[in-house]
């Protein structure tokens, strides 16, 4: 169940981050409410996940997979560029998450 909380936390964080541009610097009410709501829900779910998953592993997955998802969303929906350097950086992030998971299951 802890990994379900973690996946939901990642999804909530990705939603909140995806809403950042729409907030227009937190000057638009409903996108701001949605953004902050996504972040609050994400932290609530993450706090439940770390009851059973080591904090380093959970945070690495939360931040790393969230980063990868946001890059994909930015590329597909927000017209942001994706180049070889970004792909290599994402590969390193995901690789680091994998390594932490392999070493963190104690």
């Amino acid at each position: 169940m802890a990994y379900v909380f973690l996946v939901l936390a990642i999804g909530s964080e990705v939603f909140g981050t995806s809403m950042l541009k729409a907030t227009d610097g937190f000057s638009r009410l409903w996108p701001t409410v949605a953004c902050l709501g996504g972040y609050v829900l994400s932290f609530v779910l993450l706090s439940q996940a770390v009851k059973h998953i080591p904090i380093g592993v959970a945070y690495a997955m939360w931040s790393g997979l969230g980063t990868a998802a946001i890059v994909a969303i930015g590329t597909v929906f927000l017209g942001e560029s994706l180049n070889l350097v970004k792909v290599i950086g994402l590969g390193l992030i995901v690789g680091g998450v994998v390594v932490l998971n392999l070493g963190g299951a104690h």
Side-chain angles (χ1 to χ4, degrees):
M1 188 68 180
Y3 282 95
V4 171
F5 283 128
L6 183 57
V7 167
L8 293 172
I10 293 167
S12 298
E13 186 270 334
V14 167
F15 172 77
T17 302
S18 296
M19 294 301 299
L20 272 174
K21 264 193 167 183
T23 69
D24 196 27
F26 294 119
S27 65
R28 296 180 59 215
L29 178 63
W30 294 114
T32 297
V33 169
C35 175
L36 296 177
Y39 285 136
V40 167
L41 180 59
S42 180
F43 279 107
V44 168
L45 293 165
L46 183 61
S47 73
Q48 295 303 307
V50 298
K51 289 181 178 179
H52 302 285
I53 301 171
I55 188 76
V57 170
Y59 188 75
M61 291 180 71
W62 181 79
S63 61
L65 298 177
T67 299
I70 287 298
V71 168
I73 289 168
T75 301
V76 173
F77 296 108
L78 301 176
E80 296 177 359
S81 66
L82 184 65
N83 57 38
L84 181 61
V85 173
K86 288 183 180 180
V87 171
I88 291 169
L90 283 173
L92 291 169
I93 291 168
V94 172
V97 169
V98 169
V99 170
L100 281 170
N101 272 292
L102 292 174
H106 288 53

